[in-house]
Amino acid sequence: MGLTRRGLLMPLSAAAMAAAMTVLVTAVVPGAAASAGTSPGAPTSGAPTSGVPASAAPVPEAPVGKVVGAAPLPEADLSHHGYVSFSNGHIAIRIRSENLGPSDVTASTVRLRFSAPLAVTQELPYDCLRSGKATVLCETGGLRSGGGARQTALDLRPAGGPDEVIVRLDTVWNGGVRDADPKNNVHQVLAPATGDAYAF
């Protein structure tokens, strides 16, 4: 929470400090000394009674502006769909990523986590990279609202020759938008080593 000062956010602590440092200079009005109990003959030249030099200008208080909250995040609806198949020691994954709007997404990153570690040597698309023994991250690029889908294709090899693999897919970066319906970009697929395609 803060105060606005010419469009800038100023913390309340800074405003309180500025107010505490404000020096109010009180001048003596001629003729008012007697009514205030000042002895006759005392100088009434308008010298400040606080001992601060008359040339010292008072520090202005920080203007009190409207308290503002964080700006609302733009909304978008990312969607990832596709299929997983597993056969002959290879996991084939096809992902179709799109943005149902209403706002554009500057970039997004899909995370793929596997129940089995991946082989050390993998050939990945240029927009994907390893993130640990059993995780791959893939960048989709910008996704316009209602625009065309971006395709991601992977051919991965698990280590140890498992009979099945579980693939968990979700979005780890969506360009800073608010996704009110994340269900269509979070999936879990069990793929036995039969070569059948399992949709998500």
Side-chain angles (χ1 to χ4, degrees):
M1 183 179 296
L3 301 177
T4 55
R5 184 175 187 179
R6 295 184 181 179
L8 298 178
L9 188 67
M10 182 168 63
L12 285 176
S13 58
M17 182 178 298
M21 295 176 62
T22 299
V23 178
L24 299 178
V25 179
T26 306
V28 176
V29 179
S35 61
T38 306
S39 59
T44 58
S45 61
T49 58
S50 63
V52 178
S55 60
V59 178
E61 289 192 34
V64 178
K66 182 180 179 181
V67 177
V68 295
L73 293 175
E75 291 189 14
D77 184 9
L78 293 184
S79 172
H80 305 301
H81 293 291
Y83 69 86
V84 178
S85 64
F86 180 30
S87 65
N88 299 321
H90 288 262
I91 307 169
I93 303 173
R94 300 295 181 267
I95 306 170
R96 176 184 171 90
S97 302
E98 58 186 328
N99 174 15
L100 305 179
S103 300
D104 293 342
V105 173
T106 57
S108 73
T109 303
V110 177
R111 176 174 58 185
L112 298 160
R113 291 175 291 174
F114 300 88
S115 58
L118 299 175
V120 175
T121 303
Q122 298 284 342
E123 185 173 346
L124 298 174
Y126 75 94
D127 53 359
C128 297
L129 55 83
R130 294 282 296 267
S131 177
K133 295 181 178 180
T135 302
V136 174
L137 303 176
C138 292
E139 169 67 50
T140 69
L143 296 171
R144 292 185 298 108
S145 174
R150 303 290 293 267
Q151 306 284 343
T152 304
L154 300 101
D155 183 7
L156 305 173
R157 294 180 296 105
D163 295 328
E164 62 182 26
V165 65
I166 298 173
V167 182
R168 297 176 177 88
L169 182 147
D170 63 352
T171 302
V172 291
W173 171 244
N174 61 7
V177 302
R178 187 176 75 87
D179 192 337
D181 182 22
K183 292 181 294 184
N184 55 3
N185 62 72
V186 178
H187 305 284
Q188 178 172 305
V189 183
L190 170 63
T194 60
D196 297 318
Y198 294 88
F200 58 86

